[in-house]
Amino acid sequence: MTSSSVPAGEMPTLIAAERRELANVLAGLPSQAWDRPTLCAGWRVREVVAHITMPFRYSTARFAMEMIRSSGRFHRMADRCARRDAAASPDELTAALADNAAHPWKPPGAGLDAALTHDVIHGLDITTPLGIDPHLPEATLRTVLATITSPASMKHFGVDLDGIELHAEDIDWSYGTGPPVIGTAQNLALILCGRTLAAGQLRGEPGPRFTHARPT
């Protein structure tokens, strides 16, 4: 079961709520937490927040200029800009998120469901390693899961799910067939986006494929 029942008119409300919730989490972090690693390889909390807020801080012209400087390679541009912009203070980065909760940004060629998914996954990139549970609404989780199990998204992330069923333990949702990987909906969303979780966050025989080994 992969569909989302959220009407398009409710999507801005979900997006704004997600951004405000993450801004509240960030506002409560001690300063040293901003230098903690996230699930985005090579990025600390500050780089991830700089990336999330880039669409609010850059004009179309500046975005185009940064893409030209990176020879049209978005991932190279995003990494370079996130590392540079991470020098801003935590207060500045948090304000850029909180002040733009209602910003209408959408990823190029995509809709508001993709904007919500972008914010949710990167928010989880931050909160999951910090041991913070954001308690995402079920409507948000279902929208994200429906978005990242689309053919385009599955091709983009390239996660090998052959012969595996993903089974959420907190909502009525599953994907695929085969031996189950059981976890929270938000953790399953993360592995669908190519993230590797800490040992013990998934259950089922195939689970270790998507987690780090326990330290010995």
Side-chain angles (χ1 to χ4, degrees):
M1 185 164 55
T2 60
S3 63
S4 170
S5 59
V6 177
E10 294 182 16
M11 205 68 72
T13 300
L14 295 181
I15 292 170
E18 166 61 21
R19 291 174 184 164
R20 291 190 183 104
E21 175 64 22
L22 181 57
N24 286 337
V25 169
L26 295 171
L29 291 181
S31 58
Q32 62 269 27
W34 283 77
D35 292 316
R36 290 277 298 276
T38 69
L39 296 183
C40 287
W43 282 4
R44 300 163 297 172
V45 170
R46 60 178 65 250
E47 279 85 18
V48 177
V49 181
H51 176 70
I52 294 172
T53 59
M54 182 176 69
F56 317 142
R57 296 181 291 103
Y58 285 22
S59 66
T60 301
R62 182 177 179 187
F63 180 87
M65 179 193 72
E66 298 290 359
M67 283 290 288
I68 292 170
R69 288 186 61 194
S70 297
S71 302
R73 299 182 182 181
F74 174 76
H75 290 295
R76 177 185 292 179
M77 182 274 286
D79 184 66
R80 177 174 55 79
C81 291
R83 293 179 187 278
R84 180 190 63 207
D85 297 351
S89 72
D91 286 347
E92 288 179 273
L93 292 171
T94 301
L97 182 62
D99 294 347
N100 288 282
H103 195 286
W105 172 80
K106 295 180 286 188
L112 289 175
D113 55 343
L116 177 64
T117 298
H118 180 268
D119 291 343
V120 167
I121 295 299
H122 283 311
L124 292 172
D125 284 334
I126 293 168
T127 58
T128 302
L130 293 175
I132 298 170
D133 186 349
H135 300 295
L136 297 170
E138 183 170 339
T140 294
L141 287 168
R142 290 193 177 280
T143 299
V144 171
L145 289 166
T147 302
I148 59 181
T149 52
S150 68
S153 181
M154 296 295 289
K155 181 179 180 181
H156 174 75
F157 288 108
V159 179
D160 181 11
L161 297 175
D162 286 347
I164 291 176
E165 178 193 32
L166 300 182
H167 185 85
E169 61 188 7
D170 51 346
I171 66 172
D172 181 17
W173 183 90
S174 61
Y175 180 86
T177 57
V181 173
I182 304 166
T184 63
Q186 62 193 45
N187 280 345
L188 298 181
L190 285 168
I191 67 173
L192 279 162
C193 292
R195 275 46 170 187
T196 302
L197 303 178
Q201 291 189 301
L202 301 171
R203 294 184 287 119
E205 183 273 329
R209 287 173 48 179
F210 307 102
T211 62
H212 296 290
R214 291 184 184 276
T216 56

